[in-house]
């Protein structure tokens, strides 16, 4: 019995250490991604060029969020884990070959259909407004769409490395992408100045190439950066075009529902972006706020999901439900430990945070206020968003892609219906609020369905831990609110002061409150990181 407990401790410690490594890499990625958004707002703000750029970049970014951020890699990791345990490298090579061929075909078709794709984002606009956006957006979209191929290849490489329990390279690679794009955007701003006019950019081939090809170059660099780690892992991939290989057929079977998931998300995002764009500059505001919203999720939740997925898949393949429940509950507790206070922090600090980081160059004060308000509405759903995507990993561990598809239909339906209901009165803020409500509903539903399948997910232990985290977060919220009222302001240099004080006070008070309330996961995480 003691040996089993010891093994569990070692495995749990390994998962936490791996999560810490991924967290550092993902943290650097998200922080540099935030600076990328700062560079973007500095260069183009909420101008027509910004609207065209952000709408055009939506399609490949959807691929990023769905493929690399969860769906394809989450689907492939359990299959790759299973194939590696069977020593079936031929099957792995077949999957990689067929997927690469499909990605090339999709990319070619998308580039040819660029004008039609962009029209999906302007369906809610007047003919004159749609024409203005298309003049900027369609040429940029043609340069952006090749990113689909490289995002897909990055997702493949990430899934291969994660299945081998190699997490560092995929976590750090996006940093290179962000650095390249930051340099490109600052170069663009230096050439064209603040608040660039659309006609100036459209008729300057160099500027269009700089924005289009420069942005895509960052994705190419991120993809190439994974190859040394793949080679070092011992994988020897080779061309094997075998569509009838059992591994390929398994992935194809799972991907039917994954494709439905992607289509549903694409439709919902297209509609919500079009609704957000009813507010002048709304599509850009929505995009900028969403980058902030995803920062805590990317800093911690992604590292939990990434490092726990192989272990959940292994437990599921062995039908070891007690181990699956224990690992899943641990991940959920660790995620809540960080994501919940982060969401409350956003609610309290949204305005000074956005003003401190974005209110420069082409980004004005009014844009800063509305972006902060959109961020606050997004923040309401941060915990639901994180737990929902984590729960989907539980289904993927059992090679179940149909249930996530059905859950996703519910989430998207709630999102779209509420967005239509709220946009008329609340504008882009209402669109963000609908997103939050949809993910909170979806998280509750996903956890309930997963519990029905595998049994109690932590039971009273999980409920007790979450209750203590909620109490510690409430104490933190009061302290941050009081501190921010005492210092700084929501604009200018006072915004920086208010953010710094709020973050320092919030972090210290939350840590003290969590320790005082005996939030054991915080102590365990601290002890393991110190030993590490």
């Amino acid at each position: 019995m003691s040996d089993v407990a010891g093994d569990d401790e070692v495995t749990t410690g390994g998962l936490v250490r791996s999560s810490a490594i991924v967290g550092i890499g993902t943290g650097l990625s998200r922080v540099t991604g935030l600076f990328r958004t700062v560079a973007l707002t500095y260069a183009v703000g909420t101008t027509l060029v910004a609207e065209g750029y952000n709408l055009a970049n939506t399609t490949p970014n959807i691929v990023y969020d769905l493929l690399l951020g969860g769906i394809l890699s989450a689907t492939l990791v359990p299959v790759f884990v299973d194939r590696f345990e069977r020593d079936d490298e031929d099957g792995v090579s077949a999957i990689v070959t067929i997927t690469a061929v499909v990605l090339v075909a999709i990319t070619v078709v998308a580039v040819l259909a660029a004008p039609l794709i962009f029209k999906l984002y302007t369906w809610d606009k007047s003919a004159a407004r749609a024409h203005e956006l298309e003049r900027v957006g369609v040429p940029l979209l043609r340069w952006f769409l090749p990113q689909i191929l490289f995002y897909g290849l990055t997702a493949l490489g990430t899934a291969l490395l994660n299945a081998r329990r190699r997490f560092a390279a995929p976590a750090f690679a996006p940093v290179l992408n962000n650095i390249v794009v930051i340099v490109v955007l600052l170069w663009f701003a230096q050439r064209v100045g603040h608040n660039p006019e659309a006609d100036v950019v459209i008729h300057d081939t160099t500027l269009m190439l700089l924005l289009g090809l420069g942005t895509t170059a960052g994705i190419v660099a991120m993809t190439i950066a994974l190859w040394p780690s793949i080679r070092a892992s011992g994988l020897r991939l080779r061309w094997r075009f075998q569509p009838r290989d059992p591994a390929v057929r398994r992935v194809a079977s799972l991907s039917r529902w994954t494709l439905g998931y992607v289509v549903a998300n694409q439709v919902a995002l297209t509609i919500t972006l079009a609704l957000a764009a009813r507010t002048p500059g709304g599509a850009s505001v929505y995009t900028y706020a969403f980058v902030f919203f995803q920062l805590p999720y990317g800093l911690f939740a992604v590292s939990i999901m990434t490092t726990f997925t192989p272990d959940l898949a292994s437990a599921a393949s062995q039908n070891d439900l007690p181990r699956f429940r224990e690992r899943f509950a641990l991940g959920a507790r660790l995620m809540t430990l960080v994501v919940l206070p982060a969401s409350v922090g956003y609610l309290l600090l949204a305005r000074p945070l956005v003003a401190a980081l974005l209110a420069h160059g082409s980004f004005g004060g009014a844009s800063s206020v509305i972006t902060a308000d959109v961020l606050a509405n997004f923040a309401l759903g941060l915990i639901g968003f994180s737990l929902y995507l984590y729960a989907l990993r539980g289904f993927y561990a059992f090679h179940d892609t149909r249930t996530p598809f059905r859950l996703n239909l519910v989430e998207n339906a709630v999102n779209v219906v509420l967005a239509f209901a709220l946009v008329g009165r609340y504008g882009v803020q209402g669109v963000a609020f609908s997103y939050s409500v949809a993910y909170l509903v979806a998280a509750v539903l996903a956890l309930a369905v997963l519990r029905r399948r595998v049994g109690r997910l932590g039971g009273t232990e999980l409920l007790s831990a979450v209750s203590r985290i909620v109490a510690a977060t409430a104490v933190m919220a009061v302290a941050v609110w009081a501190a921010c009222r005492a210092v700084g302001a929501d604009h200018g240099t006072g915004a920086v002061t208010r953010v710094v004080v709020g973050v320092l006070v919030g972090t210290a008070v939350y840590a003290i409150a969590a320790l005082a309330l005996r939030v054991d996961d915080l102590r365990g995480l601290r002890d393991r990181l110190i030993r590490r």
Side-chain angles (χ1 to χ4, degrees):
M1 184 72 174
S2 60
D3 289 341
V4 173
D7 289 343
D8 282 346
E9 179 67 22
V10 171
T11 304
T12 301
L15 286 170
V16 173
R17 287 192 294 272
S18 295
S19 297
I21 293 169
V22 174
I24 293 171
T26 306
L28 286 174
S29 169
R30 295 292 174 165
V31 169
T32 54
L34 182 60
F35 284 120
R36 170 179 169 166
T37 301
V38 172
L40 181 60
T41 56
Y42 177 81
V44 295
T46 55
T47 61
L48 181 62
V49 174
E51 289 286 276
Y53 180 97
N54 285 315
L55 287 172
N57 208 29
T58 293
T59 299
N61 277 334
I62 288 172
V63 176
Y64 176 83
D65 291 334
L66 294 179
L67 296 186
L68 189 59
I71 305 309
L72 181 57
S73 56
T75 302
L76 287 176
V77 169
V79 176
F80 283 152
V81 168
D82 180 62
R83 291 294 136 181
F84 287 143
E85 289 179 351
R86 299 173 184 228
D87 293 323
D88 181 18
E89 290 199 359
D90 284 346
V92 172
S93 291
I95 292 172
V96 173
T97 301
I98 299 298
T99 305
V101 171
V102 171
L103 286 169
V104 170
I106 291 173
T107 301
V108 171
V109 171
V111 171
L112 294 175
L116 295 176
I117 293 173
F118 196 84
K119 282 184 180 296
L120 295 174
Y121 300 113
T122 60
W123 65 270
D124 196 41
K125 310 292 181 295
S126 66
R129 178 64 174 172
H131 177 67
E132 287 183 340
L133 287 170
E134 287 166 12
R135 289 174 62 220
V136 180
V138 173
L140 287 175
L141 182 59
R142 285 199 174 100
W143 286 111
F144 292 158
L145 285 172
Q147 295 174 21
I148 293 174
L149 170 62
F150 294 99
Y151 273 135
L153 294 176
T154 301
L156 273 174
T158 298
L160 287 167
L161 291 170
N162 287 350
R164 290 283 203 182
R165 268 68 168 185
R166 288 175 173 261
F167 304 107
F172 284 91
V175 176
L176 185 59
N177 168 35
N178 291 328
I179 291 173
V180 170
V181 177
I182 287 170
V183 171
V184 166
L185 291 170
L186 293 179
W187 187 4
F188 176 87
Q190 188 272 330
R191 286 184 60 94
V192 78
H194 298 319
N195 298 308
E197 295 183 3
D199 285 336
V200 172
V201 176
I202 292 168
H203 295 109
D204 190 324
T205 304
T206 302
L207 291 177
M208 292 297 286
L209 285 174
L210 192 56
L211 277 181
L213 188 59
T215 301
T216 298
I219 310 303
V220 176
M222 177 176 70
T223 306
I224 294 173
L226 292 183
W227 184 247
S229 184
I230 292 174
R231 295 287 296 177
S233 71
L235 284 171
R236 294 297 179 263
L237 299 173
R238 57 193 178 85
W239 180 267
R240 192 166 183 271
F241 190 81
Q242 296 290 337
R244 295 182 179 277
D245 186 284
V248 174
R249 296 174 69 178
R250 181 59 178 158
V251 171
S253 175
L254 295 173
S255 297
R256 288 179 303 171
W257 299 107
T258 302
L259 177 62
Y261 190 112
V262 172
V263 170
N265 267 18
Q266 175 70 77
V267 170
L269 182 58
T270 300
I271 293 171
T272 53
L273 274 177
L275 293 175
R278 288 185 180 179
T279 302
S284 294
V285 165
Y286 189 92
T287 302
Y288 300 150
F290 193 75
V291 172
F292 279 92
F293 164 75
Q294 283 208 317
L295 185 61
Y297 164 76
L299 284 171
F300 198 80
V302 168
S303 66
I304 289 290
M305 290 192 289
T306 299
T307 54
F308 276 61
T309 294
D311 208 52
L312 292 174
S314 178
S317 68
Q318 297 170 26
N319 200 31
D320 187 350
L321 294 184
R323 182 160 67 96
F324 180 94
R325 290 193 295 266
E326 186 273 327
R327 290 291 179 262
F328 186 90
L330 173 62
R333 296 198 309 270
L334 292 175
M335 193 176 297
T336 306
L337 184 66
V338 174
V339 171
L340 184 61
S343 65
V344 173
Y346 268 154
L347 286 169
L348 296 170
L349 298 173
R351 288 196 174 186
L353 178 63
V354 173
L357 289 175
L358 300 188
H360 310 285
S362 299
F363 198 77
S367 298
S368 172
V369 171
I370 191 173
T371 302
D373 291 346
V374 171
L375 173 58
N377 281 281
F378 271 135
L380 294 170
L382 183 58
I383 187 66
F385 178 80
S386 301
L387 288 176
Y388 170 72
L389 292 180
Y390 180 57
L392 295 192
R393 296 294 181 104
F395 294 108
Y396 293 135
F398 289 98
H399 295 198
D400 177 5
T401 55
R402 182 172 60 178
T403 301
F405 165 71
R406 291 174 171 175
L407 291 168
N408 198 53
L409 287 181
V410 174
E411 181 274 316
N412 281 314
V414 173
N415 186 13
V416 170
V417 170
L418 275 180
F420 270 108
L422 298 176
V423 67
R425 182 171 182 179
Y426 300 104
V428 64
Q429 295 97 320
V431 179
F433 180 77
S434 70
Y435 187 93
S436 293
V437 172
Y439 272 103
L440 286 168
V441 171
V444 172
L445 183 60
L447 290 171
V449 174
L450 185 62
R451 181 181 183 274
R452 184 181 302 173
R453 177 164 188 167
V454 302
R456 293 171 65 88
L457 297 171
T460 55
E461 181 183 0
L462 178 60
L463 181 61
S464 175
V466 170
S467 299
R468 296 180 187 195
I469 292 170
V470 169
T473 301
V475 174
M476 178 208 75
V478 173
V480 171
W481 178 81
C484 288
R485 282 180 60 86
V487 300
D490 286 343
H491 52 81
T493 56
V496 178
T497 302
R498 182 164 284 187
V499 170
V500 171
V501 170
V503 170
L504 291 177
V505 169
T507 302
V509 170
Y510 179 68
I512 293 170
L515 290 171
L517 291 168
R518 300 178 184 240
V519 178
D520 295 333
D521 290 310
L522 180 63
R523 295 176 183 272
L525 181 60
R526 179 199 63 185
D527 293 344
R528 289 186 179 99
L529 291 178
I530 290 174
R531 288 201 299 270
R532 180 63 176 173

